Amino acid sequence: MTEPATDQATHPAEIRLVLADDQPLIRTGLRTLIADQPGLTVVGEAGDGAEAVRLAAGLRPDIVVMDIRMPGMDGIAATRRIVAAGTAKVLVLTTFDDDEYVHAALRAGASGFLVKDMALEDILGAVRVVAAGDALLAPAVTRRLIAEFVSRSAPAPPPLDGITGREREVLALVGRGLSNHEIAAELTISVATAKAHVARLLTKLGARDRVQLVIIAYDTGLVTPR
């Protein structure tokens, strides 16, 4: 839904990561990849959710890359604790058959969702997007999972009375999974203007990030499951 920043000035000089996955091979693969990337540093590894929570509290990384299915405390419970404590943002890795887990992780406060068969460079791009303060859903996950997620019982969405007609249009496009560049092209506005509209929507609707805007767009009927 969003593009990785290409300008080094748009994201921190160093992004500190904790990798949480019960499969050592996956952690090793990610660590090896990240070791070659400027501005990314793995500061810790966890094999379960409880360890991820402890490392997040002790190391204060920028992002925890979190598996969902792990022994003991799973990634959902760990995400909820990390987000509630404000110790790090969480970027969740999932697979196509993890729908129920992803629905729960949305409510737990994860800032991004990726599938494990994505290209490694896309995973790195997502890390930078989330570190820069945005949120990201893998396109293959967005439409299917969000559509199913919002059809279930959920808290009442905030009213949309306080947003302008243009902001309503932008919210609908965010809900469809469009990036800021795609929104700008769709509405024939500048990318900076698109970003400004999204920022105002976050403030007016009390949304934590772009993921919550997607949920609001579905909950309020601006976007409907296809």
Side-chain angles (χ1 to χ4, degrees), residues 32-70:
T32 300
L33 174 72
I34 290 168
D36 295 330
Q37 301 299 315
L40 299 180
T41 302
V42 175
V43 296
E45 295 184 25
D48 58 49
E51 188 177 6
V53 172
R54 288 194 298 270
L55 289 178
L59 298 174
R60 295 278 174 165
D62 298 294
I63 297 174
V64 177
V65 180
M66 182 80 73
D67 187 23
I68 290 180
R69 290 177 174 172
M70 292 185 288

Side-chain angles (χ1 to χ4, degrees), residues 7-18:
D7 185 346
Q8 285 285 339
T10 61
H11 53 73
E14 181 186 44
I15 301 170
R16 302 171 70 251
L17 306 172
V18 164

Side-chain angles (χ1 to χ4, degrees), residues 2-6 11 15 17 29-30 32-34 36-38 40 91 93 114-130 136 138-139:
T2 57
E3 312 76 26
T6 56
H11 53 73
I15 301 170
L17 306 172
L30 286 173
T32 300
L33 174 72
I34 290 168
D36 295 330
Q37 301 299 315
L40 299 180
L91 181 59
L93 287 173
L114 304 178
V115 290
K116 288 184 177 179
D117 61 356
M118 288 177 66
L120 291 177
E121 55 266 28
D122 291 335
I123 294 175
L124 291 175
V127 167
R128 297 192 185 280
V129 168
V130 171
L136 184 141

